Amino acid sequence: MQSAGVSCLINMAYSLAVHGGAGTILRSTMTPELEAAYRKGLDNALNAGTLVLSQGGSAVDAVEAAVASLEDFPLFNAGKGAVFNHIGKHEMDAAIMDGSNLAAGAVSGVGNIKNPVKAAREVMDKSGHVMLVGAGAEAFARECGLEFEDDAYFYIEQRYKQWQDAVAEERVTLDHSEKKFGTVGAAALDSHGNLAAATSTGGMTNKKFGRVGDSPIIGAGTYANNNTCAISCTGHGELFMRSVVAYDISCLMEYKGMKLNEACNLVVHEKLVRIGGEGGLIAVDKFGNVSLPFNSDGMYRAAITSGGLKMTAIYKD
Ligand code: ASP
């Protein structure tokens, strides 16, 4: 869907956008109960982030709080409810970026960390590195005192079934016929004029052991820069990595002077489509404008601004 931009107000005190993934999300296959549940998950995340922003808190704290809320919500593919990889494990990825100083932190291929976005935040704040993976990332999260859960916590029957079906059909993840990219993310502008973005995911069902997607890759699935915008992506990670989606949008704004919507629409509806990259993203610019473009059937998305906008949507129309 071409994004016409949700708002064009200048100098708003704060803006927040969240997503719960893009893909084959059709009204015809949704029940009212399930739709209400998804909307509740998005609302919870908006509330968690707004609580931070409305009190003058930082964009980084807001996106961390919003993404942690989405990770705790079992219907989304991140934290509790993360998809199974080919060997029946949850291997999760997350990233966070502070647009005020270009600080960034990410974890990849981690198991049992209750909130991978919190681990990404610790990496950014305390490790002296940008990305930690696997056992090293888990050990670091333990040192930081983060919460761990056993495998049963992450198990959701529906995800297990999706994985079993994929295995039975010997479906390669990348040929996934039922494309649902349930990754979660948030992008925010705070009242101090700082931007931040965060993304968290279980990746793609039946993905190869060790596979990393775009979500934890700074500049691909996650990026924030006070000069331009904050972005969190969802979609077919390999294509988003090859297109360096989030950084490309920032560059189009910084070097070509494009407006947020113009840059987002060019990348999502033209550049990604040209190479078969399905998905979408949420973006907030330094003026508080919000853009929520996607080229799939739907994207779980919501946004709020201190200027009075509040919206939640799922489908194309
Ligand atoms: N982009 C994620 C990945 O490829 C999947 C998603 O957005 O749901 O890992």
Side-chain angles (χ1 to χ4, degrees):
M1 191 180 79
Q2 286 273 339
S3 178
V6 177
S7 111
C8 288
L9 296 179
I10 305 293
N11 290 330
M12 287 184 299
Y14 64 78
S15 295
L16 172 69
V18 300
H19 72 81
T24 314
I25 305 165
L26 300 169
R27 198 173 255 119
S28 55
T29 55
M30 186 77 81
T31 64
E33 295 74 25
L34 196 54
E35 179 171 330
Y38 277 116
R39 286 179 180 274
K40 183 163 178 4
L42 292 168
D43 274 356
N44 290 348
L46 276 191
N47 291 341
T50 303
L51 192 64
V52 176
L53 293 170
S54 62
Q55 294 173 358
S58 72
V60 175
D61 286 344
V63 295
E64 181 183 345
V67 169
S69 164
L70 292 159
E71 287 175 337
D72 292 344
F73 197 78
L75 289 181
F76 298 121
N77 168 22
K80 187 176 179 65
V83 297
F84 290 85
N85 69 5
H86 186 64
I87 59 168
K89 296 269 179 211
H90 305 289
E91 279 190 324
M92 301 176 285
D93 303 331
I96 191 163
M97 185 159 186
D98 181 346
S100 70
N101 55 9
L102 304 185
V107 292
S108 185
V110 296
N112 303 99
I113 299 176
K114 184 177 180 226
N115 291 110
V117 72
K118 294 188 182 177
R121 175 73 188 265
E122 296 285 6
V123 171
M124 177 171 84
D125 289 350
K126 299 181 184 156
S127 74
H129 301 296
V130 169
M131 180 181 266
L132 296 179
V133 306
E138 290 160 15
F140 176 73
R142 274 189 207 283
E143 272 169 37
C144 294
L146 293 186
E147 263 182 274
F148 276 67
E149 296 287 351
D150 57 21
D151 289 350
Y153 169 82
F154 298 90
Y155 175 93
I156 300 297
E157 198 183 338
Q158 175 209 355
R159 297 281 182 223
Y160 186 75
K161 199 177 165 308
Q162 281 169 355
W163 171 58
Q164 291 282 284
D165 290 350
V167 170
E169 293 165 26
E170 292 182 8
R171 203 194 296 138
V172 180
T173 312
L174 306 185
D175 297 332
H176 212 301
S177 56
E178 190 201 41
K179 292 179 189 138
K180 281 186 184 156
F181 310 109
T183 292
V184 306
L189 171 73
D190 66 28
S191 55
H192 312 282
N194 293 320
L195 289 162
T199 311
S200 181
T201 188
M204 296 170 87
T205 300
N206 204 26
K207 67 185 180 183
K208 268 195 203 311
F209 170 55
R211 177 264 187 189
V212 178
D214 61 314
S215 308
I217 306 296
I218 299 304
T222 308
Y223 191 70
N225 182 335
N226 272 13
N227 287 335
T228 54
C229 59
I231 294 188
S232 170
C233 301
T234 171
H236 193 153
E238 281 69 11
L239 284 301
F240 278 63
M241 288 159 90
R242 286 163 51 193
S243 302
V244 203
V245 167
Y247 187 62
D248 195 21
I249 290 170
S250 175
C251 287
L252 288 167
M253 294 176 72
E254 187 162 15
Y255 305 131
K256 281 201 133 186
M258 283 193 181
K259 300 241 181 311
L260 181 72
N261 262 324
E262 212 185 339
C264 286
N265 285 332
L266 174 63
V267 172
V268 173
H269 294 290
E270 293 183 37
K271 296 179 89 170
L272 268 172
V273 169
R274 241 177 263 142
I275 60 165
E278 183 178 345
L281 56 88
I282 54 168
V284 173
D285 73 9
K286 60 180 178 179
F287 303 113
N289 297 308
V290 175
S291 191
L292 312 166
F294 56 96
N295 61 32
S296 47
D297 290 316
M299 181 169 81
Y300 299 107
R301 59 201 187 278
I304 190 164
T305 71
S306 55
L309 168 86
K310 183 159 193 231
M311 57 80 65
T312 306
I314 297 176
Y315 314 106
K316 223 180 237 173
D317 44 12

